[in-house]
Amino acid sequence: MNCYRVKASEKTFKLPEKVTFTSSDPTNLPVPSPELLALHAACAKVAHLSGAREHIDELDRDLDDSRVLAADGSSYSVLAHALSKRHVGVVGA
């Protein structure tokens, strides 16, 4: 029924226990795919357990703090991260 439990790796986030997706126009604005939400949850678990979450958080902080790229190319990872977020279409980004 498009109702999902919400989990966070850090307890500092104030999140609802459940969310329900609805749409006033299911044809043109469908609710998120349950399969893609499950895939996203699995990827988030892997990232958290592998320690990649800290690296991603660091890239996000660097991206927020950066105004220019380094001439020597050392900021490549920040640029690649920013571009991948736009390419994938991360919600809330």
Side-chain angles (χ1 to χ4, degrees):
M1 180 180 151
N2 298 316
C3 185
Y4 300 91
R5 244 184 353 210
V6 177
K7 293 185 176 183
S9 59
E10 294 183 21
K11 301 298 180 196
T12 57
F13 297 116
K14 293 182 181 181
L15 299 172
E17 289 184 25
K18 293 183 181 179
V19 295
T20 301
F21 294 105
T22 61
S23 176
S24 60
D25 184 1
T27 302
N28 295 311
L29 301 169
V31 296
S33 159
E35 293 82 8
L36 291 178
L37 289 173
L39 178 60
H40 180 275
C43 291
K45 286 179 186 177
V46 169
H48 176 70
L49 294 173
S50 70
R53 185 182 66 94
E54 287 82 10
H55 179 67
I56 293 168
D57 288 345
E58 182 181 337
L59 287 171
D60 282 338
R61 283 190 300 276
D62 289 348
L63 181 60
D64 289 342
D65 295 341
S66 296
R67 298 289 178 239
V68 296
L69 297 174
D72 65 0
S74 62
S75 56
Y76 166 78
S77 60
V78 176
L79 175 61
H81 178 66
L83 292 174
S84 70
K85 288 179 78 166
R86 296 296 176 218
H87 176 69
V88 173
V90 175
V91 175

